[in-house]
Amino acid sequence: MTVLSASQQQAIDKLEKLRVGALFMEPGTGKTLTAIQLVESSQADFVLWIVPFQTKDNLKDELTKWKFDKPHEIVGVESIGASDRIYMDLYNKLNKYKRVFIVVDESLKIKNVYAKRTQRVIKLGQKAYYKLILNGTPLSKNILDLYSQMTFLSPKILKMDKNAFMNKFCEYTKVQKNHATIKTFISGYANLEYLYSLIEPYVFDAKLNLNVGSNERRKDYWVYDDKLYQKLKDKLIEHIEEMSDVSVLGTFQEMQQSYSLDDDKLRALDELMKDEVEEDKTIIFVKFIATREELQERYPKALVLTYGKGSLGLNLQAYKYTIFYDKIWNYATLEQSKRRTYRMGQKEDVTYWYLDGDVGLESMMNHNIAGKGSLLKSFKAASQHKKKEQLKKLL
């Protein structure tokens, strides 16, 4: 007999009476097992699991572990967006069943209502009798992330199109740029209690309560060789007004990579590895392949992961230390990365270390994560008023 936690049983008690639902359960609270139990309690005759491509094998192992025996298929959400053949094969296959159950894991992958993958998943959802979305962090930037997730479940939940949703729940600020172009930014939110009242009947939200502790600590370093960083910074400030969003983000990446393997940053990591953690119980998260290769060679007993590889789907309770060597600005990805160790099955207290550099980009990323906002948005908002001297101070 499968033993469920209190929150898992509460989720099942709430959602098994419904044909659609959302498990907004923090990573580590056992949302996959909860989803399996919900599917098994239904009358589904076929189950389509839509997951990030890199987690397909993990889900397959989980289904085997829990002896899941309903007819099913596992497909990567990226494949649905990229392959016409895969999408059409699935679309036609679902027509053969009467009570299809579609589960979308990591449903933030369909947050962009204009993306092909999102539109196709919503279309597939129209063939389903039951639908369930799973995500530990339902918002990565703002409440607009909720729109397509709820629309997939049922357009009857929100009963409004995207424009109506934006007008109802978002407040805007208009800024003039170059004496001609008017740009509009989301500056706040409204009617959030009403929004919650619309989605609450279909959502279960569990907090992770473990009998172990979680600590966060920081380690400072100074960038010694900042010539390339300064060069890229000057270029960015000089040309910000004509650069596209993609170009700005690309330059941010170059700036950050320029000091990823700086001598003092490596010195700070060496001190942590020597004095504060146990190498064979430590995960190090990085952004760049060259950095991962260097650190894995430097610390062969540690587990060095890139955020894309390690933030989803891995159960790493054997590790108790996590070092965020390179910063990121996506709150949801950071939370996913933290929950690789702080999850059900963890037996020891866990510690997270953040390396803090003395360049402005590091401070901006800290501010962005603290506010769960967009680095690009905050940076460009400052540029609208052409405060180049202010931007120099920020960076």
Side-chain angles (χ1 to χ4, degrees):
M1 179 179 178
T2 303
V3 178
L4 301 174
S5 69
S7 62
Q8 287 173 321
Q9 189 59 59
Q10 289 166 8
I12 292 168
D13 291 343
K14 178 174 184 177
L15 298 183
E16 70 178 349
K17 304 176 182 69
L18 307 174
R19 285 170 49 188
V20 302
L23 289 176
F24 290 155
M25 299 171 68
E26 291 187 355
T29 53
K31 62 180 180 292
T32 301
L33 176 56
T34 307
I36 290 171
Q37 294 290 308
L38 282 168
V39 173
E40 289 185 334
S41 70
S42 74
Q43 298 180 35
D45 54 2
F46 180 78
V47 186
L48 176 61
W49 299 85
I50 300 176
V51 302
F53 184 83
Q54 69 191 58
T55 68
K56 288 177 62 178
D57 289 342
N58 295 340
L59 176 59
K60 183 178 179 181
D61 291 343
E62 286 287 300
L63 296 181
T64 300
K65 174 183 176 181
W66 299 111
K67 297 181 173 59
F68 184 78
D69 59 1
K70 281 187 179 287
H72 67 276
E73 184 170 343
I74 304 172
V75 63
V77 65
E78 299 88 349
S79 301
I80 292 174
S83 171
D84 294 344
R85 179 189 61 78
I86 290 175
Y87 168 64
M88 289 308 302
D89 285 350
L90 287 173
Y91 190 85
N92 293 327
K93 186 172 188 175
L94 297 186
N95 287 327
K96 301 176 182 178
Y97 300 92
K98 292 183 178 181
R99 294 179 181 268
V100 172
F101 201 135
I102 297 182
V103 182
V104 179
D105 194 8
E106 304 300 342
S107 57
L108 270 179
K109 293 287 186 179
I110 60 165
K111 69 180 182 179
N112 181 1
V113 73
Y114 302 112
K116 181 185 288 187
R117 74 168 68 159
T118 302
Q119 294 174 357
R120 287 182 168 181
V121 169
I122 290 174
K123 283 284 189 183
L124 292 173
Q126 294 170 0
K127 301 283 186 181
Y129 189 81
Y130 304 97
K131 285 175 278 189
L132 183 68
I133 58 175
L134 286 63
N135 213 86
T137 312
L139 303 180
S140 65
K141 290 186 178 180
N142 54 54
I143 62 170
L144 295 182
D145 293 347
L146 280 172
Y147 179 78
S148 59
Q149 297 179 72
M150 292 298 117
T151 299
F152 164 74
L153 291 180
S154 173
K156 295 179 180 179
I157 295 176
L158 297 173
K159 299 179 182 177
M160 62 187 79
D161 62 20
K162 178 70 175 293
N163 288 334
F165 182 88
M166 295 171 68
N167 291 333
K168 186 74 173 177
F169 302 114
C170 298
E171 296 174 346
Y172 298 91
T173 298
K174 292 184 177 181
V175 179
Q176 184 168 317
K177 181 179 179 181
N178 295 336
H179 307 288
T181 306
I182 300 294
K183 300 206 74 171
T184 303
F185 298 92
I186 296 175
S187 54
Y189 304 107
N191 305 309
L192 293 185
E193 289 187 7
Y194 176 59
L195 174 59
Y196 180 76
S197 73
L198 294 178
I199 69 172
E200 190 279 332
Y202 309 96
V203 171
F204 181 82
D205 182 2
K207 299 300 181 186
L208 180 60
N209 296 307
L210 302 178
N211 294 319
V212 297
S214 153
N215 307 293
E216 299 198 359
R217 304 179 67 182
R218 296 188 178 273
K219 178 77 170 176
D220 293 329
Y221 66 90
W222 291 263
V223 178
Y224 282 156
D225 185 5
D226 66 351
K227 299 184 191 66
L228 180 55
Y229 178 90
Q230 293 297 332
K231 182 180 178 180
L232 291 166
K233 166 184 161 181
D234 292 343
K235 174 186 173 184
L236 180 61
I237 292 172
E238 184 65 27
H239 300 286
I240 181 67
E241 292 173 17
E242 62 255 29
M243 293 175 73
S244 68
D245 291 357
V246 173
S247 297
V248 172
L249 289 173
T251 305
F252 281 149
Q253 287 280 89
E254 291 182 78
M255 291 168 68
Q256 189 179 10
Q257 190 168 14
S258 73
Y259 61 85
S260 183
L261 289 171
D262 186 84
D263 287 347
D264 199 60
K265 190 173 184 179
L266 290 171
R267 185 272 313 163
L269 180 61
D270 287 343
E271 290 182 358
L272 284 182
M273 298 299 287
K274 178 182 178 182
D275 301 328
E276 303 288 350
V277 305
E278 300 168 57
E279 184 177 333
D280 60 351
K281 292 188 176 183
T282 299
I283 303 169
I284 306 173
F285 277 103
V286 302
K287 283 186 69 174
F288 309 104
I289 298 299
T291 304
R292 180 180 62 77
E293 293 173 349
E294 172 68 25
L295 298 189
Q296 193 65 81
E297 183 175 353
R298 200 177 185 98
Y299 298 105
K301 295 180 182 179
L303 179 62
V304 185
L305 299 171
T306 57
Y307 288 95
K309 178 69 174 177
S311 62
L312 296 175
L314 298 180
N315 299 323
L316 301 172
Q317 299 96 321
Y319 297 86
K320 56 186 285 192
Y321 305 100
T322 302
I323 299 174
F324 296 106
Y325 181 83
D326 292 319
K327 283 188 171 60
I328 55 172
W329 47 74
N330 187 302
Y331 171 80
T333 301
L334 179 63
E335 286 300 301
Q336 290 280 5
S337 302
K338 289 165 66 175
R339 298 304 186 183
R340 294 311 96 205
T341 56
Y342 193 71
R343 59 191 301 114
M344 291 176 65
Q346 179 59 260
K347 304 298 184 184
E348 301 183 80
D349 291 351
V350 299
T351 302
Y352 304 108
W353 281 93
Y354 301 85
L355 268 64
D356 272 335
D358 66 335
V359 293
L361 184 60
E362 295 277 301
S363 297
M364 289 183 71
M365 295 174 105
N366 284 341
H367 178 75
N368 176 70
I369 288 293
K372 306 178 187 178
S374 163
L375 178 63
L376 180 62
K377 172 185 171 183
S378 60
F379 184 85
K380 282 207 155 186
S383 76
Q384 302 305 315
H385 303 289
K386 301 182 180 178
K387 296 180 180 179
K388 292 189 176 180
E389 292 304 314
Q390 180 183 349
L391 294 179
K392 289 179 182 178
K393 293 177 182 179
L394 285 173
L395 288 172

